Amino acid sequence: MKTTVEIPDSLLEQTKRLALRERTTVRALVEEGLRLIVAEHQRAKGFRLRKASFRGKGLHPQMAGAGWQQIRDTIYEGRGA
């Protein structure tokens, strides 16, 4: 697709010199730059943990009111940890 983009003359000149040094085209550099920006913005949305719950009724009654240490000890009980 063709489009028109207005950029400062100085930036275009720098880009042309870079393209010449890198033996590539201004178009390739513009594409690379846009891809990097798009990828950065997609990563910036942050990590979203998938829903991994299963059908249950919540915390087991014997763990109600238990602290994290007790819950962890119960989970690893008999497993050498």
Side-chain angles (χ1 to χ4, degrees):
M1 169 192 249
K2 288 187 178 190
T3 191
T4 301
V5 178
E6 291 185 30
I7 59 173
D9 291 340
S10 60
L11 180 58
L12 180 59
E13 287 304 315
Q14 289 176 333
T15 306
K16 285 180 178 180
R17 286 193 298 272
L18 178 60
L20 190 61
R21 277 196 317 270
E22 298 291 321
R23 294 187 175 150
T24 189
T25 63
V26 170
R27 175 184 172 163
L29 292 176
V30 170
E31 282 184 34
E32 180 182 357
L34 290 173
R35 288 181 201 285
L36 288 170
I37 292 297
V38 168
E40 181 179 315
H41 281 268
Q42 288 174 341
R43 281 191 306 271
K45 289 181 182 175
F47 175 76
R48 188 170 183 164
L49 186 62
R50 68 177 174 84
K51 184 176 179 181
S53 62
F54 53 91
R55 294 181 195 144
K57 296 182 180 168
L59 192 60
H60 195 279
Q62 79 181 51
M63 291 291 121
W68 173 243
Q69 184 67 42
Q70 183 182 352
I71 293 171
R72 194 177 73 186
D73 289 345
T74 302
I75 291 169
Y76 289 106
E77 188 176 332
R79 298 183 185 206

